Amino acid sequence: MVIANYIFIVFLAILSGVILVVTGDFPTGSYSSGYGPGFYPKIIVYIIIGLTVLLVIQTLLKKDIRKVEMSLKQLKIPAALVGLIIVYSLILEHLGFVFTTLIILCTAMITLKTSKVRALLVSSIITTLIYVGFKILLRVPLPEGIFI
């Protein structure tokens, strides 16, 4: 478990560094002029860095070393979810945000053994809330695809 923590710590450190470099030139703005496009990513990076430091402290203080065994059968669901995320990123521009998000969320929930009715209901609600929040309230353009 400790080795996995160290691997995750290195991953988070690299991710934080990449995000800071990529968003380094973005203006953060001010309270009076409104926050710029660099404000939100930097807040997220600083939260990730803080949580990474907490993980380092927890890992250093923890003496319990447990061996975790995983079989290929246990990796099926996480692998399927990673595959769904990859498929989502590949087809999002072509099929549009609403259709793709609805299908991928519903498929992910069914993969996680949720009933089909509940998966469809929750996926519809989440997709609608994201659409309203970003497209209508924040006026962020979302991929329209061939269905809209």
Side-chain angles (χ1 to χ4, degrees):
M1 193 66 160
V2 174
I3 294 172
N5 281 359
Y6 287 126
I7 292 170
F8 193 58
I9 288 166
V10 169
F11 168 76
L12 289 175
I14 292 170
L15 177 68
S16 298
V18 168
I19 294 173
L20 278 175
V21 168
V22 170
T23 63
D25 294 336
F26 293 1
T28 54
S30 65
Y31 180 74
S32 60
S33 67
Y35 297 111
F39 179 76
Y40 184 71
K42 286 183 179 134
I43 292 296
I44 297 298
V45 166
Y46 294 136
I47 290 172
I48 291 173
I49 290 170
L51 292 173
T52 304
V53 169
L54 289 175
L55 182 61
V56 168
I57 293 169
Q58 179 187 13
T59 303
L60 291 175
L61 294 177
K62 196 172 190 179
K63 302 292 182 197
D64 180 27
I65 299 175
R66 293 178 286 161
K67 192 172 184 179
V68 177
E69 302 270 339
M70 291 195 73
S71 67
L72 286 177
K73 186 177 181 183
Q74 291 173 312
L75 293 176
K76 275 183 172 179
I77 291 178
L81 294 175
V82 168
L84 277 173
I85 292 170
I86 292 169
V87 168
Y88 180 76
S89 66
L90 293 174
I91 66 173
L92 179 63
E93 288 293 324
H94 304 290
L95 299 180
F97 174 79
V98 173
F99 181 75
T100 307
T101 303
L102 184 65
I103 296 301
I104 294 295
L105 281 177
C106 194
T107 305
M109 292 181 71
I110 291 170
T111 302
L112 293 169
K113 310 287 189 247
T114 305
S115 72
K116 291 178 183 176
V117 173
R118 175 177 247 165
L120 185 60
L121 179 67
V122 171
S123 299
S124 300
I125 292 170
I126 290 173
T127 302
T128 303
L129 288 174
I130 294 172
Y131 182 83
V132 168
F134 282 92
K135 182 77 173 182
I136 296 171
L137 297 177
L138 296 175
R139 297 183 186 170
V140 174
L142 297 172
E144 293 182 359
I146 60 175
F147 295 114
I148 294 180

PDB file of all heavy atoms in Angstrom, residues 3 5 16 18-19 29 31 37-38 43 52 62 66 68 75-77 87 90 99 111 122 130-131 136:
ATOM      1  N   ILE A   3       3.883   1.633  -1.305  1.00  0.00           N
ATOM      2  CA  ILE A   3       4.449   1.841  -2.639  1.00  0.00           C
ATOM      3  C   ILE A   3       3.410   2.465  -3.559  1.00  0.00           C
ATOM      4  O   ILE A   3       3.721   3.375  -4.336  1.00  0.00           O
ATOM      5  CB  ILE A   3       4.987   0.509  -3.209  1.00  0.00           C
ATOM      6  CG1 ILE A   3       6.167   0.040  -2.367  1.00  0.00           C
ATOM      7  CG2 ILE A   3       5.393   0.665  -4.655  1.00  0.00           C
ATOM      8  CD1 ILE A   3       6.660  -1.350  -2.699  1.00  0.00           C
ATOM      9  N   ASN A   5       1.017   4.399  -2.673  1.00  0.00           N
ATOM     10  CA  ASN A   5       0.894   5.799  -2.268  1.00  0.00           C
ATOM     11  C   ASN A   5       2.004   6.641  -2.882  1.00  0.00           C
ATOM     12  O   ASN A   5       1.761   7.745  -3.365  1.00  0.00           O
ATOM     13  CB  ASN A   5       0.921   5.936  -0.747  1.00  0.00           C
ATOM     14  CG  ASN A   5      -0.411   5.594  -0.112  1.00  0.00           C
ATOM     15  OD1 ASN A   5      -1.371   5.272  -0.797  1.00  0.00           O
ATOM     16  ND2 ASN A   5      -0.454   5.639   1.198  1.00  0.00           N
ATOM     17  N   SER A  16       0.217  18.184 -11.159  1.00  0.00           N
ATOM     18  CA  SER A  16       0.161  19.556 -10.660  1.00  0.00           C
ATOM     19  C   SER A  16       1.153  20.438 -11.398  1.00  0.00           C
ATOM     20  O   SER A  16       0.829  21.573 -11.774  1.00  0.00           O
ATOM     21  CB  SER A  16       0.468  19.585  -9.159  1.00  0.00           C
ATOM     22  OG  SER A  16      -0.488  18.853  -8.448  1.00  0.00           O
ATOM     23  N   VAL A  18       2.379  20.001 -14.428  1.00  0.00           N
ATOM     24  CA  VAL A  18       1.930  20.204 -15.814  1.00  0.00           C
ATOM     25  C   VAL A  18       0.812  21.243 -15.869  1.00  0.00           C
ATOM     26  O   VAL A  18       0.834  22.147 -16.711  1.00  0.00           O
ATOM     27  CB  VAL A  18       1.477  18.857 -16.439  1.00  0.00           C
ATOM     28  CG1 VAL A  18       0.735  19.090 -17.748  1.00  0.00           C
ATOM     29  CG2 VAL A  18       2.666  17.940 -16.659  1.00  0.00           C
ATOM     30  N   ILE A  19      -0.133  21.152 -14.974  1.00  0.00           N
ATOM     31  CA  ILE A  19      -1.245  22.108 -14.967  1.00  0.00           C
ATOM     32  C   ILE A  19      -0.737  23.516 -14.660  1.00  0.00           C
ATOM     33  O   ILE A  19      -1.175  24.491 -15.286  1.00  0.00           O
ATOM     34  CB  ILE A  19      -2.349  21.682 -13.979  1.00  0.00           C
ATOM     35  CG1 ILE A  19      -3.004  20.387 -14.457  1.00  0.00           C
ATOM     36  CG2 ILE A  19      -3.403  22.769 -13.839  1.00  0.00           C
ATOM     37  CD1 ILE A  19      -3.987  19.792 -13.478  1.00  0.00           C
ATOM     38  N   GLY A  29      -7.009  37.469 -13.014  1.00  0.00           N
ATOM     39  CA  GLY A  29      -7.997  38.520 -12.763  1.00  0.00           C
ATOM     40  C   GLY A  29      -7.977  38.940 -11.303  1.00  0.00           C
ATOM     41  O   GLY A  29      -7.092  38.598 -10.534  1.00  0.00           O
ATOM     42  N   TYR A  31     -10.847  40.342  -7.875  1.00  0.00           N
ATOM     43  CA  TYR A  31     -12.228  40.320  -7.405  1.00  0.00           C
ATOM     44  C   TYR A  31     -13.050  41.413  -8.060  1.00  0.00           C
ATOM     45  O   TYR A  31     -14.186  41.202  -8.468  1.00  0.00           O
ATOM     46  CB  TYR A  31     -12.260  40.455  -5.880  1.00  0.00           C
ATOM     47  CG  TYR A  31     -13.656  40.431  -5.318  1.00  0.00           C
ATOM     48  CD1 TYR A  31     -14.360  39.225  -5.256  1.00  0.00           C
ATOM     49  CD2 TYR A  31     -14.286  41.584  -4.885  1.00  0.00           C
ATOM     50  CE1 TYR A  31     -15.651  39.187  -4.757  1.00  0.00           C
ATOM     51  CE2 TYR A  31     -15.569  41.554  -4.390  1.00  0.00           C
ATOM     52  CZ  TYR A  31     -16.248  40.357  -4.324  1.00  0.00           C
ATOM     53  OH  TYR A  31     -17.519  40.310  -3.836  1.00  0.00           O
ATOM     54  N   PRO A  37      -9.463  33.375 -16.658  1.00  0.00           N
ATOM     55  CA  PRO A  37      -9.455  31.949 -16.977  1.00  0.00           C
ATOM     56  C   PRO A  37      -8.394  31.149 -16.222  1.00  0.00           C
ATOM     57  O   PRO A  37      -8.458  29.932 -16.181  1.00  0.00           O
ATOM     58  CB  PRO A  37      -9.188  31.911 -18.481  1.00  0.00           C
ATOM     59  CG  PRO A  37      -8.583  33.215 -18.810  1.00  0.00           C
ATOM     60  CD  PRO A  37      -9.111  34.193 -17.803  1.00  0.00           C
ATOM     61  N   GLY A  38      -7.442  31.804 -15.599  1.00  0.00           N
ATOM     62  CA  GLY A  38      -6.419  31.085 -14.861  1.00  0.00           C
ATOM     63  C   GLY A  38      -6.759  30.873 -13.402  1.00  0.00           C
ATOM     64  O   GLY A  38      -6.063  30.140 -12.699  1.00  0.00           O
ATOM     65  N   ILE A  43      -6.622  27.279  -8.474  1.00  0.00           N
ATOM     66  CA  ILE A  43      -7.245  26.879  -7.207  1.00  0.00           C
ATOM     67  C   ILE A  43      -7.261  25.346  -7.111  1.00  0.00           C
ATOM     68  O   ILE A  43      -6.906  24.777  -6.066  1.00  0.00           O
ATOM     69  CB  ILE A  43      -8.681  27.448  -7.090  1.00  0.00           C
ATOM     70  CG1 ILE A  43      -8.653  28.961  -6.956  1.00  0.00           C
ATOM     71  CG2 ILE A  43      -9.438  26.810  -5.932  1.00  0.00           C
ATOM     72  CD1 ILE A  43      -7.989  29.461  -5.698  1.00  0.00           C
ATOM     73  N   THR A  52      -1.929  16.315  -1.658  1.00  0.00           N
ATOM     74  CA  THR A  52      -0.747  15.484  -1.874  1.00  0.00           C
ATOM     75  C   THR A  52       0.190  15.562  -0.674  1.00  0.00           C
ATOM     76  O   THR A  52       0.738  14.546  -0.240  1.00  0.00           O
ATOM     77  CB  THR A  52      -0.008  15.914  -3.160  1.00  0.00           C
ATOM     78  OG1 THR A  52      -0.912  15.852  -4.263  1.00  0.00           O
ATOM     79  CG2 THR A  52       1.187  15.030  -3.433  1.00  0.00           C
ATOM     80  N   LYS A  62       2.452   6.262   8.651  1.00  0.00           N
ATOM     81  CA  LYS A  62       1.787   4.966   8.717  1.00  0.00           C
ATOM     82  C   LYS A  62       2.833   3.854   8.703  1.00  0.00           C
ATOM     83  O   LYS A  62       3.665   3.781   7.816  1.00  0.00           O
ATOM     84  CB  LYS A  62       0.839   4.820   7.530  1.00  0.00           C
ATOM     85  CG  LYS A  62      -0.156   3.725   7.664  1.00  0.00           C
ATOM     86  CD  LYS A  62      -1.146   3.809   6.523  1.00  0.00           C
ATOM     87  CE  LYS A  62      -2.295   2.861   6.761  1.00  0.00           C
ATOM     88  NZ  LYS A  62      -3.264   2.943   5.704  1.00  0.00           N
ATOM     89  N   ARG A  66       0.604  -3.454   4.277  1.00  0.00           N
ATOM     90  CA  ARG A  66      -0.221  -4.595   3.912  1.00  0.00           C
ATOM     91  C   ARG A  66       0.015  -4.937   2.454  1.00  0.00           C
ATOM     92  O   ARG A  66       0.175  -4.052   1.612  1.00  0.00           O
ATOM     93  CB  ARG A  66      -1.701  -4.286   4.115  1.00  0.00           C
ATOM     94  CG  ARG A  66      -2.082  -4.094   5.547  1.00  0.00           C
ATOM     95  CD  ARG A  66      -3.533  -3.746   5.660  1.00  0.00           C
ATOM     96  NE  ARG A  66      -3.658  -2.353   5.208  1.00  0.00           N
ATOM     97  CZ  ARG A  66      -4.791  -1.806   4.825  1.00  0.00           C
ATOM     98  NH1 ARG A  66      -5.889  -2.489   4.824  1.00  0.00           N
ATOM     99  NH2 ARG A  66      -4.825  -0.550   4.443  1.00  0.00           N
ATOM    100  N   VAL A  68      -1.496  -6.158  -0.907  1.00  0.00           N
ATOM    101  CA  VAL A  68      -2.807  -6.199  -1.540  1.00  0.00           C
ATOM    102  C   VAL A  68      -2.700  -7.051  -2.800  1.00  0.00           C
ATOM    103  O   VAL A  68      -1.887  -6.779  -3.677  1.00  0.00           O
ATOM    104  CB  VAL A  68      -3.304  -4.784  -1.902  1.00  0.00           C
ATOM    105  CG1 VAL A  68      -4.633  -4.850  -2.611  1.00  0.00           C
ATOM    106  CG2 VAL A  68      -3.379  -3.920  -0.658  1.00  0.00           C
ATOM    107  N   LEU A  75     -10.039  -6.384 -11.887  1.00  0.00           N
ATOM    108  CA  LEU A  75      -9.654  -5.240 -12.699  1.00  0.00           C
ATOM    109  C   LEU A  75     -10.590  -5.001 -13.873  1.00  0.00           C
ATOM    110  O   LEU A  75     -10.437  -4.015 -14.586  1.00  0.00           O
ATOM    111  CB  LEU A  75      -8.223  -5.419 -13.214  1.00  0.00           C
ATOM    112  CG  LEU A  75      -7.137  -5.396 -12.147  1.00  0.00           C
ATOM    113  CD1 LEU A  75      -5.785  -5.687 -12.766  1.00  0.00           C
ATOM    114  CD2 LEU A  75      -7.117  -4.057 -11.430  1.00  0.00           C
ATOM    115  N   LYS A  76     -11.571  -5.875 -14.072  1.00  0.00           N
ATOM    116  CA  LYS A  76     -12.477  -5.737 -15.213  1.00  0.00           C
ATOM    117  C   LYS A  76     -13.274  -4.430 -15.181  1.00  0.00           C
ATOM    118  O   LYS A  76     -13.331  -3.706 -16.171  1.00  0.00           O
ATOM    119  CB  LYS A  76     -13.464  -6.908 -15.264  1.00  0.00           C
ATOM    120  CG  LYS A  76     -12.954  -8.123 -15.943  1.00  0.00           C
ATOM    121  CD  LYS A  76     -14.056  -9.164 -15.989  1.00  0.00           C
ATOM    122  CE  LYS A  76     -13.668 -10.340 -16.837  1.00  0.00           C
ATOM    123  NZ  LYS A  76     -14.718 -11.356 -16.857  1.00  0.00           N
ATOM    124  N   ILE A  77     -13.897  -4.143 -14.057  1.00  0.00           N
ATOM    125  CA  ILE A  77     -14.748  -2.955 -13.962  1.00  0.00           C
ATOM    126  C   ILE A  77     -13.921  -1.669 -14.073  1.00  0.00           C
ATOM    127  O   ILE A  77     -14.276  -0.783 -14.859  1.00  0.00           O
ATOM    128  CB  ILE A  77     -15.623  -2.991 -12.692  1.00  0.00           C
ATOM    129  CG1 ILE A  77     -16.671  -4.096 -12.839  1.00  0.00           C
ATOM    130  CG2 ILE A  77     -16.283  -1.643 -12.442  1.00  0.00           C
ATOM    131  CD1 ILE A  77     -17.562  -4.286 -11.652  1.00  0.00           C
ATOM    132  N   VAL A  87     -13.387   6.274 -24.791  1.00  0.00           N
ATOM    133  CA  VAL A  87     -14.403   6.334 -25.849  1.00  0.00           C
ATOM    134  C   VAL A  87     -15.129   7.676 -25.801  1.00  0.00           C
ATOM    135  O   VAL A  87     -15.371   8.301 -26.840  1.00  0.00           O
ATOM    136  CB  VAL A  87     -15.397   5.152 -25.722  1.00  0.00           C
ATOM    137  CG1 VAL A  87     -16.611   5.341 -26.601  1.00  0.00           C
ATOM    138  CG2 VAL A  87     -14.700   3.845 -26.041  1.00  0.00           C
ATOM    139  N   LEU A  90     -13.158  10.376 -27.369  1.00  0.00           N
ATOM    140  CA  LEU A  90     -13.015  10.220 -28.818  1.00  0.00           C
ATOM    141  C   LEU A  90     -14.287  10.580 -29.587  1.00  0.00           C
ATOM    142  O   LEU A  90     -14.204  11.084 -30.711  1.00  0.00           O
ATOM    143  CB  LEU A  90     -12.592   8.795 -29.154  1.00  0.00           C
ATOM    144  CG  LEU A  90     -11.189   8.387 -28.695  1.00  0.00           C
ATOM    145  CD1 LEU A  90     -10.952   6.911 -28.964  1.00  0.00           C
ATOM    146  CD2 LEU A  90     -10.125   9.239 -29.361  1.00  0.00           C
ATOM    147  N   PHE A  99     -25.911  13.831 -26.035  1.00  0.00           N
ATOM    148  CA  PHE A  99     -26.084  12.417 -26.391  1.00  0.00           C
ATOM    149  C   PHE A  99     -24.948  11.568 -25.823  1.00  0.00           C
ATOM    150  O   PHE A  99     -25.182  10.535 -25.190  1.00  0.00           O
ATOM    151  CB  PHE A  99     -26.155  12.272 -27.913  1.00  0.00           C
ATOM    152  CG  PHE A  99     -26.348  10.866 -28.372  1.00  0.00           C
ATOM    153  CD1 PHE A  99     -27.579  10.248 -28.256  1.00  0.00           C
ATOM    154  CD2 PHE A  99     -25.291  10.147 -28.911  1.00  0.00           C
ATOM    155  CE1 PHE A  99     -27.758   8.935 -28.665  1.00  0.00           C
ATOM    156  CE2 PHE A  99     -25.462   8.833 -29.324  1.00  0.00           C
ATOM    157  CZ  PHE A  99     -26.700   8.235 -29.205  1.00  0.00           C
ATOM    158  N   THR A 111     -22.509  -0.608 -15.757  1.00  0.00           N
ATOM    159  CA  THR A 111     -21.290  -1.376 -15.500  1.00  0.00           C
ATOM    160  C   THR A 111     -21.059  -1.531 -14.004  1.00  0.00           C
ATOM    161  O   THR A 111     -20.568  -2.556 -13.546  1.00  0.00           O
ATOM    162  CB  THR A 111     -20.069  -0.670 -16.147  1.00  0.00           C
ATOM    163  OG1 THR A 111     -20.301  -0.533 -17.546  1.00  0.00           O
ATOM    164  CG2 THR A 111     -18.791  -1.433 -15.913  1.00  0.00           C
ATOM    165  N   VAL A 122     -30.793   8.877 -13.425  1.00  0.00           N
ATOM    166  CA  VAL A 122     -29.690   9.658 -12.857  1.00  0.00           C
ATOM    167  C   VAL A 122     -28.837  10.271 -13.963  1.00  0.00           C
ATOM    168  O   VAL A 122     -28.435  11.433 -13.879  1.00  0.00           O
ATOM    169  CB  VAL A 122     -28.841   8.790 -11.899  1.00  0.00           C
ATOM    170  CG1 VAL A 122     -27.576   9.504 -11.470  1.00  0.00           C
ATOM    171  CG2 VAL A 122     -29.666   8.389 -10.685  1.00  0.00           C
ATOM    172  N   ILE A 130     -25.667  19.574 -15.917  1.00  0.00           N
ATOM    173  CA  ILE A 130     -24.416  20.051 -16.508  1.00  0.00           C
ATOM    174  C   ILE A 130     -24.713  20.944 -17.707  1.00  0.00           C
ATOM    175  O   ILE A 130     -24.109  22.011 -17.870  1.00  0.00           O
ATOM    176  CB  ILE A 130     -23.509  18.866 -16.906  1.00  0.00           C
ATOM    177  CG1 ILE A 130     -23.041  18.120 -15.663  1.00  0.00           C
ATOM    178  CG2 ILE A 130     -22.309  19.348 -17.714  1.00  0.00           C
ATOM    179  CD1 ILE A 130     -22.307  16.820 -15.963  1.00  0.00           C
ATOM    180  N   TYR A 131     -25.655  20.531 -18.543  1.00  0.00           N
ATOM    181  CA  TYR A 131     -26.007  21.314 -19.727  1.00  0.00           C
ATOM    182  C   TYR A 131     -26.533  22.692 -19.327  1.00  0.00           C
ATOM    183  O   TYR A 131     -26.094  23.713 -19.852  1.00  0.00           O
ATOM    184  CB  TYR A 131     -27.044  20.572 -20.569  1.00  0.00           C
ATOM    185  CG  TYR A 131     -27.409  21.304 -21.836  1.00  0.00           C
ATOM    186  CD1 TYR A 131     -26.617  21.191 -22.972  1.00  0.00           C
ATOM    187  CD2 TYR A 131     -28.534  22.127 -21.891  1.00  0.00           C
ATOM    188  CE1 TYR A 131     -26.941  21.871 -24.131  1.00  0.00           C
ATOM    189  CE2 TYR A 131     -28.867  22.812 -23.047  1.00  0.00           C
ATOM    190  CZ  TYR A 131     -28.068  22.682 -24.165  1.00  0.00           C
ATOM    191  OH  TYR A 131     -28.373  23.350 -25.309  1.00  0.00           O
ATOM    192  N   ILE A 136     -26.302  27.192 -20.560  1.00  0.00           N
ATOM    193  CA  ILE A 136     -27.279  28.264 -20.386  1.00  0.00           C
ATOM    194  C   ILE A 136     -26.797  29.316 -19.384  1.00  0.00           C
ATOM    195  O   ILE A 136     -26.780  30.507 -19.688  1.00  0.00           O
ATOM    196  CB  ILE A 136     -28.645  27.684 -19.979  1.00  0.00           C
ATOM    197  CG1 ILE A 136     -29.173  26.798 -21.126  1.00  0.00           C
ATOM    198  CG2 ILE A 136     -29.632  28.791 -19.634  1.00  0.00           C
ATOM    199  CD1 ILE A 136     -30.395  26.001 -20.802  1.00  0.00           C
TER     200      ILE A 136
END
